[in-house]
Amino acid sequence: MGHGSSKETNSAPSSRASRFRERLRNYRRNLLHRHGGDGSSGSSISTSVEDFAGIALLTLRSAEMKFKDRWLACVSLGEQTFRTNTSDHTDKPVWNSEKKLLLERNGPHIARISIFETNKLSKNNLIGYCEVDLLEFLEQEPINDLEVLNLLDPSCSNTVVGHISISFSVEDPIETEKSFTRRILSIVDYNDDGELSFSEFSDLIDAFGNEVAAKKKKELFRAADLNGDGVVNMDELATLLTQQQEREPIMNRCPVCGEVLQVSDKLNTMIHLTLCFDEGTGNQVMTGGFLTDKQASSGWMFKLSEWVHFSSYDVGLNYGSSAANIVVCNRRTKRLEEELIDGKIVLSMRAMYQSKFGLGLLGIGAKEILQSISEKQGKKMNTYESVEEIPKFIKFFKDQVNMAEVKYPLEHFKTFNEFFIRELKPGARPIECVEHDDVAVCAADSRLMAFNCVDESTRFWIKGRKFSVQGLLGEEIDSRTFEGGAIVIFRLAPQDYHRYHFPVSGIIEKFVDVPGYLYTVNPIAVNSKYCNVFTENKRTVSLISTKDFGKVAFVAIGATMVGSITFLKKKGEYAKKGDEFGYFSFGGSTVICVFEKGAIKIDEDLLENSARSLETLVSVGMKLGTSNNKRAGEDFI
């Protein structure tokens, strides 16, 4: 169900899930009949009848922490985040904050609950978190009204830092359909008497934005006023509205947010109005409008920083609680997260890489300065004194470095670089379809961009004017082999596990070192039209011959602060996908894999995010795609 749950699963025959599924089947059957049997619609909202699981009501009740402070809690699901009010100075905060969430069978269903201490003006500290699988919650019969979950330390998931009490329920879809009209109609019940006068009813019809219905106000009102007393109660009007919506829809626009509704798609209209009404009237205590928990926890500073943050990037770079944050999509949870970068570094990178003046400086000596800085920093991180930097590093990235996965304890590392190239415990990165070589996997813990061809990558992501496969691979590699092929970019941030692995099984044909500079591989530089990061940086290209994917070019790219690129395999060796290939020393860095044209079918979720200029956070061994090679199954020579 989620990290740290204290509840045991109850498999009683008559469970909440079984009762709910029976009602859901009846509801779907009814909707499918209305839609002509396929459940499809023309709505821009993607929820289908079969995928709809219900409207979930998640309530954050209270928590028990290990010290007194002012606390707030955030709930993140998919690309939306909500926050509670701030509690008083206490070690037992109480919120009783609720939020309704749309549950889809194939959509985001792992909610992350984050607890922040809020005793600082501009930056709040993440103290604990838990993850809750809402669909798994649905399958279980509750033992009591409250669930008590462990709150885990962000930097070490084996450490419990507190407890949180939550409650969870799913609104029956049939009851949702009956009740949403009552809630919507209450918008114009100005005197809260549970009845609508004709003037109140008239305002409601105007809010629906249907000019035809506006001309039939009196006719519709008379139809609802069954006893002729000049007023209509909520139940009567809700019944009329439901029936009328079946025959001749009168709601063209949401009366809360003004969004145009697809009247032919009753399911998504109902979902939209149910959720939007709760936002618009303030019935829910949690407030929304945030992409990540860090944004939500920043409070007024979030809005202030948005005013002064200007960027030319798309989805993944265009949002954030400050210019120092990049938003990525976590593939496992389908949730948006922020990549933390020191603000001073970001400002300097923007000045250098996002202007003609800055790049002009690079041409008159700054490139050599970057090289010198990287070499000096690399040497520094190999000294015994550098071990003092490890605790500071873990503290800064405490919610992005999981020490529970690391093979050795902290005292094992004698220099910072030893920690930086740390190994993980066996099994920490399971390999997808390990026995099937026609399935490619992710080569690194990284932020991934994937494109079916180079043209797409330059349209959505790489803005350098001179980028090409030939420029990337260098003169010693025949780039014609990869013309029109897919390209996958694995960007490693400093906090990532910095060992890279084989994405495919095959034999290493050759290694080619390509000299170059050490630009940063941060998207700020990659998205700059003034430089060509991937074709100008120092890099090593290896060619891997495979049975299922033909030849694969594996490019390890150095970057600012990266002292070296180290390979652990030699030319002529055979490697199994998922095997360790090498590692980067201190700093951020990138691996790029280029496939032959038509050799790989990349997973759709990776392509869809990339088309939005949104990087996907992946781990070593996650599925990348499958082979399109018709030779699959032949003996590998």
Side-chain angles (χ1 to χ4, degrees), residues 47-269:
T47 305
S48 67
V49 174
E50 287 302 317
D51 198 32
F52 176 56
I55 305 293
L57 177 62
L58 180 64
T59 305
L60 305 187
R61 298 294 184 186
S62 60
E64 292 185 8
M65 308 304 294
K66 293 187 176 181
F67 57 91
K68 290 185 177 181
D69 212 323
R70 299 176 71 242
W71 305 95
L72 69 83
C74 298
V75 174
S76 298
L77 181 69
E79 298 186 9
Q80 55 183 347
T81 293
F82 309 93
R83 58 168 285 171
T84 66
N85 293 326
T86 302
S87 72
D88 294 330
H89 188 79
T90 179
D91 58 352
K92 295 182 179 179
V94 176
W95 300 290
N96 288 321
S97 296
E98 61 183 25
K99 184 63 196 175
K100 285 192 174 180
L101 304 165
L102 170 63
L103 275 186
E104 299 174 89
R105 293 293 175 185
N106 296 314
H109 55 88
I110 299 178
R112 178 183 169 105
I113 302 173
S114 305
I115 308 298
F116 291 84
E117 60 169 342
T118 63
N119 58 350
K120 295 183 179 180
L121 178 64
S122 61
K123 182 180 179 182
N124 299 315
N125 291 324
L126 176 64
I127 301 300
Y129 78 98
C130 64
E131 291 184 344
V132 180
D133 189 329
L134 298 181
L135 287 183
E136 189 175 325
F137 242 127
L138 174 62
E139 298 297 325
Q140 297 177 352
E141 181 71 14
I143 297 176
N144 48 49
D145 292 338
L146 289 181
E147 301 283 345
V148 180
L149 306 178
N150 291 333
L151 293 171
L152 307 178
D153 188 327
S155 60
C156 186
S157 58
N158 290 338
T159 303
V160 177
V161 296
H163 306 278
I164 186 168
S165 298
I166 69 172
S167 62
F168 176 84
S169 62
V170 177
E171 187 169 89
D172 187 294
I174 299 174
E175 293 304 317
T176 299
E177 183 175 17
K178 290 180 180 178
S179 63
F180 88 88
T181 49
R182 298 190 185 99
R183 294 196 297 271
I184 285 292
L185 292 171
S186 69
I187 293 174
V188 293
D189 183 17
Y190 303 125
N191 57 5
D192 296 323
D193 63 356
E195 296 177 333
L196 295 187
S197 65
F198 176 72
S199 63
E200 292 172 331
F201 174 76
S202 179
D203 288 347
L204 181 65
I205 297 300
D206 290 340
F208 287 155
N210 189 322
E211 295 181 3
V212 176
K215 297 177 181 179
K216 298 181 179 180
K217 293 177 184 177
K218 292 184 178 180
E219 178 184 338
L220 292 172
F221 187 79
R222 284 196 299 268
D225 186 11
L226 300 178
N227 59 8
D229 62 355
V231 294
V232 175
N233 63 48
M234 289 295 177
D235 288 337
E236 290 175 330
L237 200 49
T239 300
L240 173 72
L241 191 57
T242 300
Q243 294 174 348
Q244 187 67 28
Q245 195 72 6
E246 287 289 329
R247 298 194 300 267
E248 186 180 355
I250 62 175
M251 287 183 289
N252 290 353
R253 185 176 65 224
C254 174
V256 177
C257 70
E259 181 176 322
V260 176
L261 302 173
Q262 297 290 338
V263 295
S264 61
D265 186 0
K266 185 173 181 180
L267 171 65
N268 282 300
T269 296

Side-chain angles (χ1 to χ4, degrees), residues 401-448:
V401 176
N402 186 0
M403 290 304 299
E405 297 178 334
V406 180
K407 184 175 182 179
Y408 300 109
L410 277 182
E411 54 269 21
H412 170 83
F413 304 106
K414 305 307 179 185
T415 68
F416 183 86
N417 230 343
E418 285 186 11
F419 168 75
F420 191 79
I421 60 173
R422 59 195 176 274
E423 297 177 74
L424 301 183
K425 294 176 181 177
R429 295 293 182 268
I431 307 302
E432 185 87 10
C433 303
V434 66
E435 298 302 324
H436 297 274
D437 287 344
D438 60 345
V439 176
V441 298
C442 294
D445 283 14
S446 57
R447 294 100 179 95
L448 176 149

